[in-house]
Amino acid sequence: MPPQSLAPAAAVLAGVKAAVHEIYDTALIRKLDAQHYMHPFTDHAALKEKGVRVMVRGDGIYLWDSEGNKSLDGMSGLWCVNVGYGRTRISEAVYKQMETLPFYNSFFNTTNVPAVRLAALLVELSPPQFNHVFFTGSGSEANDTNLRMVRRYWDLMGYQGRHTIISRYNAYHGSTLAGSALGGMEGMHEQAGMIPGIEHIGQPNYLESGQGMSENEFGLVAAGWLEKKILEVGADKVAAFIGEPVQGAGGVIIPPATYWPEIQRICDKYGILLIADEVICGFGRLGAWFGSELMQIKPDLITFAKGVTSGYVPLGGVLVGDRVAKVLIDKGGDFNHGFTYSGHPVACAAALENLHILLEEKLVEKVALETGPYLKAKFAALADHPLVGFANSCGFVAGLNLVRKKAANVHDSEYFQPDQSVGMICRGHMFENGMIMRAVGDRMIIAPPLVMTCAQIDEMVAKIRFCLDATLADLQQRGWM
Ligand code: PMP
């Protein structure tokens, strides 16, 4: 018998048991959720009032909740379920690995077979400058690793104090202290505080800042903000620039074609390391194995997570380019950094199976040549809707801006007031009608599973149009249009 103080209350045990065994007792699960589960990025007071939606099953591009409602998952879970739900191959690989060796660490001169095989496969799939991989448990941890690696690199190179990393406002690089500081989300900075040596420049958001310019002119101007910041900080103090090839959580901000090559030129000019955060863009999301290939840049470090396992189990990491790896390995001695779960054998087994699915089903090529262009055309056609001011996509990420009144030139459109929360209203209509689409302000975004077929794209776009109509009727009824 455990001492009285350690025995869980009988009522709690009964509740948990009922929730586990009767997973469709939605009311009970909601109650326990409200009582005990702290969710990420959530206003809990508001959540308690509304109650959560309980997801219970996924298959392909569809999800079902505990009340039997079916949804089309336009967000791949959270930008990650690239091969779709219900892939038995991955669960079998995970089961087999758990039976054989569920865990061993990679410290103290040991390794495990899935981690080695995965590192080798990632090197094969990635651009030629990458021959090493450092594993983490998440994208945030991978960006913490980046920060430590680039600072260590410059120290070893004899440039003590060359520690500043330049990032962009509205970037998302994770939620650990370093991840949130590297990111450019002001709401996170306010709550978490900043760490020293991180600077931010404007994002390449043509809609926001490109008035009076062509997209390509604006791309050069936005990249120029990096050079300005380097000169302000002092080139000998700047260690690296970090950016997502296409900003995801910030609202699917697709940069002009001129932006990234100019960023590369500036990094080369000042010898600054370039970090591509490909947590979203990697593994086929943009129709290339890595977004940096599409953007024609040659990063020194690539952050990955999400799509590497299609989210089936957590895994992240850093692809370490030769420039950095050589110095850390040849000159570095101990790199005092790592995680219990670095190279977790079960996570690596899941990743291997997931990458084999991507390869065998040629999903990256499919997004590049077939379904990506199809989505682009169908999504762009939504711009004829009275609520849509601008719609664009890149591979399998896409976004559209809701406007009160559109104009021929996107910069002349009239927008809603931020406190009207029109994006959230639209998202509500989407959810009610079985379409999962995310709102970032008044920009509605998607990142569907890469297995989505052209017929399913038609189904998704029809659903989106139906929900835009419902939103329009709602806004007209409120007298906002
Ligand atoms: N970088 C980017 C670009 C991301 O989109 C995310 C997650 N959305 C992260 C880093 C952080 O990854 P994680 O949530 O796995 O820590």
Side-chain angles (χ1 to χ4, degrees), residues 138-140 143 172-174 244 277 279-280 306:
S138 69
S140 301
N143 278 327
Y172 189 80
H173 296 302
E244 303 153 80
D277 183 342
V279 166
I280 287 176
K306 297 189 188 277

Side-chain angles (χ1 to χ4, degrees), residues 33-34 37-52 191 421 424 427:
D33 183 277
Y37 185 15
M38 287 186 83
H39 293 245
F41 284 96
T42 293
D43 172 346
H44 283 87
L47 184 72
K48 253 186 202 170
E49 210 149 279
K50 271 197 279 175
V52 285
Q191 292 183 3
S421 300
M424 292 306 278
R427 192 186 78 164

Side-chain angles (χ1 to χ4, degrees), residues 71-408:
S71 296
L72 191 160
D73 185 7
M75 279 308 299
S76 304
L78 200 59
W79 323 82
C80 53
V81 187
N82 287 4
V83 297
Y85 297 94
R87 304 301 297 243
T88 320
R89 282 178 61 175
I90 302 181
S91 16
E92 283 171 357
V94 162
Y95 177 77
K96 210 168 135 202
Q97 186 56 45
M98 280 192 168
E99 289 274 285
T100 317
L101 181 71
F103 176 75
Y104 199 73
N105 69 66
S106 292
F107 297 52
F108 322 127
N109 292 355
T110 55
T111 193
N112 69 76
V113 178
V116 176
R117 286 181 56 212
L118 180 60
L121 180 57
L122 288 170
V123 163
E124 204 173 303
L125 295 173
S126 60
Q129 70 270 28
F130 293 102
N131 287 294
H132 293 86
V133 186
F134 191 100
F135 289 116
T136 68
S138 69
S140 301
E141 289 173 10
N143 278 327
D144 276 52
T145 301
N146 278 328
L147 183 131
R148 297 193 56 179
M149 271 190 185
V150 300
R151 288 185 172 173
R152 177 89 182 128
Y153 166 85
W154 285 112
D155 286 350
L156 289 167
M157 291 289 288
Y159 293 79
Q160 302 291 328
R162 188 164 179 169
H163 279 184
T164 301
I165 300 181
I166 301 177
S167 175
R168 298 162 316 167
Y169 290 113
N170 201 35
Y172 189 80
H173 296 302
S175 192
T176 53
L177 191 49
S180 64
L182 284 169
M185 303 288 177
E186 280 168 1
M188 295 176 80
H189 294 168
E190 279 162 16
Q191 292 183 3
M194 284 298 287
I195 55 178
I198 295 174
E199 296 282 337
H200 293 87
I201 59 171
Q203 57 176 336
N205 183 339
Y206 180 62
L207 270 190
E208 187 184 82
S209 316
Q211 290 90 338
M213 288 177 254
S214 71
E215 278 205 60
N216 281 342
E217 282 164 357
F218 171 67
L220 296 177
V221 169
W225 299 333
L226 174 61
E227 186 156 27
K228 215 168 141 219
K229 181 61 83 177
I230 291 168
L231 296 175
E232 182 190 311
V233 173
D236 59 338
K237 298 277 186 300
V238 180
F241 175 72
I242 183 168
E244 303 153 80
V246 169
Q247 285 156 260
V252 180
I253 311 296
I254 303 167
T258 47
Y259 178 76
W260 274 111
E262 180 65 3
I263 291 281
Q264 178 77 65
R265 189 191 68 75
I266 294 166
C267 287
D268 289 347
K269 179 173 169 188
Y270 295 98
I272 287 163
L273 294 167
L274 178 56
I275 309 168
D277 183 342
E278 302 239 19
V279 166
I280 287 176
C281 298
F283 307 106
R285 174 60 55 201
L286 303 186
W289 276 96
F290 294 94
S292 32
E293 295 167 293
L294 195 76
M295 301 299 163
Q296 299 176 331
I297 52 172
K298 202 170 166 254
D300 298 292
L301 297 153
I302 285 181
T303 323
F304 65 88
K306 297 189 188 277
V308 69
T309 59
S310 282
Y312 277 56
V313 283
L315 179 71
V318 177
L319 285 163
V320 188
D322 292 342
R323 177 176 168 195
V324 174
K326 206 170 159 23
V327 172
L328 290 186
I329 291 167
D330 291 354
K331 294 196 194 174
D334 259 350
F335 179 42
N336 297 322
H337 176 67
F339 304 100
T340 301
Y341 301 126
S342 289
H344 193 293
V346 174
C348 293
L352 280 166
E353 202 59 33
N354 173 62
L355 296 177
H356 281 126
I357 291 175
L358 284 173
L359 285 164
E360 285 164 31
E361 298 182 7
K362 297 191 172 10
L363 291 173
V364 182
E365 292 89 331
K366 227 168 163 176
V367 170
L369 303 172
E370 184 195 339
T371 49
Y374 192 78
L375 175 67
K376 190 174 213 65
K378 293 286 164 173
F379 205 79
L382 286 170
D384 70 1
H385 193 277
L387 260 185
V388 178
F390 181 70
N392 61 349
S393 73
C394 179
F396 256 32
V397 291
L400 56 85
N401 291 69
L402 302 173
V403 294
R404 205 171 67 77
K405 200 158 170 222
K406 25 193 220 181

